[in-house]
Amino acid sequence: MVSGFWPYLTQKPAPINLTLPIAALLTLLSLGALAQTPALPRRAAGLTPAPLQTRQLATDPPAADTARVFSLQDLAELVFANHPLVKQAALLSADAQAQVLAARGGFDPKLGSGFDRKIFGGTDYYNRWANELKVPLWPGGIDLKAGYDRMVGTYVNPEYRTPLDGLAGVGLSVPLGQGLLIDARRSTLRQARIMVQAAEADQVKQINEVWLQAVKDYWNWYYASQQAQLVQEGVALADTRFRATSRRALLGDQAPIDSVEASITVQDRQLQAQQLVVELQNARLLLSNHLWNKDAQPVELPAYAVPQRPMLVPVDTVQFGQLQRQAAVAHPTLLKLDAKIRQLGVEERYRRELLKPKINVSGTLLSRGDFYRPEVPAYYDFGLNNYKLGVDFAFPLFLRQERGKLQQARLKVQDATLEQQQSRRTIVNQVQAVYNSLQAYERQLTLQAQTIANQRQLLQAELQKFELGESTIFLINARESKLIELRIKQESLRASYEKARAELYYYAGTRTLGAQER
């Protein structure tokens, strides 16, 4: 068999005919080139260029018009100035101040007067006129008293009878037992003053909650806006590619089934875009819940407004340490509980004071009502020889009510202390957890950026292969859809990072003010 084929293998090839016409050679070369490179619509007269480029390959989006940007700082200014819940939180401090004012009323001077007279059958039975000015003093629970009494008549008790000009007196009432160190009015005032600090802490907490929700709604709006923009861009690209494919199919340069594939991509992206338009409108409405003008009228976010780009400012270890200390010491929840513990401490001290016996000593220096007249004898004037003295004593034998109230106060102090300990631990751990999430988002954003860069290279290579006739519209759409999906995921991570950063400040007991803080 081998020997049979040998003559053919050893036969010299026929010489090439070099006399072919130059025109025929050029024709063959052109046909070979056409066989390697598919005919594209852009090369035929009257057709638009083939859509082989995509804006998804752009690494940086175009800068938005600054006049249309509704920044986070703009939101902060409106929220803190006009939001009804922020104004409502301010009422907490005003209410606490009102309670202090009411508690101060226990030390207001009191003026009292009473007049009674009886005349019957021409007889003046009695003519009683009693006046007293009582001034409570802070030290020792002392009451300063000044009075003027005029009690005359036929049937007035001699014990209370006064000269015709009346009887004036100036004296003190001093508690020597219960009420010497603290009494009900001092306890009420001290507790009211402490509750002002609790109300201020509660006010800060409520405002922080309002701001956190506003920030979350803002970045949800940002994500919905970016998602709708990216998908809408994909719709435009798919539609352009579908129209170009349809023209090529009409010319016979491409299979008609490719135009069906391109049409399905357009319809799928249009359906997604319509859903995202609704989500964007709802996100804008949710953000508008926080927008009020100075006249307390709700306002809506304009449709042309666009959000700012996330700054993605990292929180370093130094800032994190400061936030941890802030959370462990000055968190509004902890400050409120600390005020509650101090308030209960005052209550406990007052209840402990009630275990003492009541011993009230009162003394009054007396003088005739016309003591200001120089002709009044000296022995009717104020002096050690003219006085009233009284002692009151009372003491419950079993003290069951007082001991029960004291025990309740001590239990409340213990309960609030344990609550504060648990709250401090929870708050510190929440700060740590959110910081861990921030670090994870930073790593994910870095990895996502690398993934997007690789997907862009893959899409670029697919476009180049399509130029050479080695790819299809289906593959280009698939690569492009994947790139859009990755970019949407990137925007989701950016929005989540900013929301987590706001949560970090919230759990630390403060708030970020957007551009001001940056």
Side-chain angles (χ1 to χ4, degrees):
M1 293 291 294
V2 176
S3 60
F5 283 99
W6 179 252
Y8 296 97
L9 295 176
T10 57
Q11 185 178 3
K12 295 181 179 180
I16 299 176
N17 186 4
L18 300 177
T19 60
L20 291 175
I22 300 300
L25 181 60
L26 294 176
T27 302
L28 291 175
L29 292 175
S30 62
L31 290 175
L34 291 175
Q36 296 177 0
T37 305
L40 302 177
R42 61 183 178 182
R43 296 185 180 180
L47 294 180
T48 58
L52 298 183
Q53 299 298 325
T54 171
R55 283 168 287 176
Q56 294 293 339
L57 294 176
T59 56
D60 296 323
D65 184 8
T66 55
R68 299 171 53 201
V69 174
F70 181 72
S71 66
L72 198 62
Q73 177 61 30
D74 296 331
L75 176 64
E77 292 176 356
L78 289 176
V79 167
F80 295 139
N82 304 323
H83 199 291
L85 294 182
V86 173
K87 294 181 178 180
Q88 185 181 17
L91 299 179
L92 296 174
S93 180
D95 181 70
Q97 294 290 348
Q99 293 183 15
V100 172
L101 181 61
R104 289 181 182 274
F107 293 89
D108 288 346
K110 296 181 180 179
L111 179 63
S113 178
F115 177 78
D116 293 298
R117 186 175 185 181
K118 180 180 179 181
I119 297 178
F120 182 73
T123 303
D124 188 358
Y125 277 66
Y126 56 81
N127 190 325
R128 298 192 296 249
W129 185 27
N131 304 274
E132 183 184 50
L133 175 63
K134 183 178 180 181
V135 181
L137 303 179
W138 178 271
I142 299 174
D143 290 333
L144 175 64
K145 298 179 180 180
Y148 172 78
D149 298 332
R150 185 177 184 274
M151 298 184 181
V152 295
T154 305
Y155 297 101
V156 172
N157 191 333
E159 180 182 357
Y160 301 110
R161 189 185 301 273
T162 65
L164 292 178
D165 295 329
L167 195 65
V170 177
L172 297 175
S173 176
V174 181
L176 298 181
Q178 183 184 122
L180 178 62
L181 301 179
I182 188 172
D183 54 10
R185 59 193 179 192
R186 281 180 286 177
S187 173
T188 302
L189 181 55
R190 286 174 178 174
Q191 293 185 44
R193 288 173 174 173
I194 293 174
M195 290 310 298
V196 171
Q197 302 174 11
E200 291 174 351
D202 199 17
Q203 175 184 353
V204 172
K205 181 180 179 181
Q206 291 192 20
I207 294 177
N208 287 349
E209 290 176 352
V210 172
W211 175 239
L212 176 63
Q213 187 60 48
V215 171
K216 286 184 176 181
D217 291 340
Y218 181 89
W219 292 117
N220 287 336
W221 170 54
Y222 165 81
Y223 172 63
S225 174
Q226 294 300 312
Q227 194 177 13
Q229 180 179 347
L230 289 171
V231 173
Q232 189 62 40
E233 180 182 333
V235 171
L237 293 172
D239 182 67
T240 303
R241 191 171 293 118
F242 163 69
R243 288 186 281 105
T245 304
S246 299
R247 293 179 183 180
R248 294 175 64 180
L250 291 176
L251 294 176
D253 294 333
Q254 196 164 350
I257 196 64
D258 290 340
S259 63
V260 177
E261 177 68 32
S263 175
I264 292 175
T265 302
V266 173
Q267 293 171 351
D268 181 64
R269 293 184 182 179
Q270 285 178 341
L271 182 63
Q272 186 179 4
Q274 291 177 1
Q275 179 63 30
L276 292 177
V277 168
V278 176
E279 293 182 6
L280 177 59
Q281 292 175 347
N282 293 339
R284 187 181 293 111
L285 287 176
L286 288 178
L287 182 60
S288 297
N289 290 336
H290 307 284
L291 304 181
W292 300 78
N293 59 20
K294 60 181 180 180
D295 298 325
Q297 297 298 321
V299 295
E300 292 187 4
L301 189 66
Y304 58 81
V306 295
Q308 71 176 48
R309 298 287 299 175
M311 301 298 294
L312 303 178
V313 179
V315 179
D316 55 29
T317 56
V318 176
Q319 294 176 339
F320 174 63
Q322 294 176 351
L323 290 175
Q324 274 191 319
R325 291 189 292 271
Q326 166 90 12
V329 176
H331 193 279
T333 299
L334 300 180
L335 293 178
K336 183 178 179 180
L337 288 173
D338 181 70
K340 181 179 179 181
I341 292 173
R342 289 188 287 115
Q343 178 196 15
L344 292 174
V346 174
E347 179 69 16
E348 179 187 2
R349 183 184 176 189
Y350 170 64
R351 293 300 173 182
R352 193 165 55 246
E353 183 75 8
L354 294 181
L355 297 178
K356 299 178 181 179
K358 293 182 180 179
I359 304 176
N360 296 327
V361 178
S362 60
T364 304
L365 298 179
L366 302 176
S367 174
R368 291 183 52 162
D370 52 356
F371 59 89
Y372 51 88
R373 295 174 57 183
E375 59 272 16
V376 176
Y379 54 84
Y380 287 142
D381 201 354
F382 290 111
L384 297 179
N385 294 326
N386 300 322
Y387 64 87
K388 288 194 306 183
L389 184 63
V391 178
D392 295 330
F393 175 82
F395 184 70
L397 296 180
F398 298 110
L399 294 173
R400 283 181 288 195
Q401 181 180 5
E402 289 74 10
R403 287 188 289 112
K405 295 291 185 179
L406 176 60
Q407 186 175 1
Q408 286 183 337
R410 288 174 175 172
L411 291 176
K412 290 180 180 179
V413 171
Q414 294 178 6
D415 179 74
T417 303
L418 294 174
E419 182 182 358
Q420 187 185 46
Q421 292 175 356
Q422 180 61 35
S423 298
R424 178 176 287 107
R425 180 175 178 81
T426 302
I427 289 170
V428 171
N429 287 341
Q430 285 176 334
V431 173
Q432 181 67 55
V434 176
Y435 181 70
N436 293 341
S437 300
L438 276 179
Q439 290 183 317
Y441 282 132
E442 291 177 4
R443 294 190 295 267
Q444 293 175 21
L445 284 169
T446 302
L447 184 60
Q448 189 72 9
Q450 296 174 356
T451 305
I452 290 175
N454 293 336
Q455 186 65 24
R456 283 198 177 100
Q457 292 181 359
L458 192 60
L459 177 58
Q460 181 66 46
E462 202 67 45
L463 291 170
Q464 293 176 356
K465 290 172 63 178
F466 187 86
E467 289 276 3
L468 300 175
E470 299 177 359
S471 185
T472 62
I473 294 295
F474 172 77
L475 290 177
I476 292 178
N477 285 336
R479 305 295 188 198
E480 189 177 77
S481 297
K482 184 61 177 179
L483 180 57
I484 294 175
E485 179 183 344
L486 291 175
R487 292 188 63 187
I488 290 176
K489 179 62 176 178
Q490 184 185 44
E491 297 301 338
S492 175
L493 290 174
R494 288 173 175 173
S496 298
Y497 180 89
E498 292 294 343
K499 288 189 288 186
R501 188 168 182 267
E503 288 182 350
L504 178 64
Y505 281 84
Y506 169 76
Y507 287 125
T510 181
R511 57 182 178 266
T512 172
L513 299 180
Q516 279 187 352
E517 186 174 307
R518 298 187 178 109

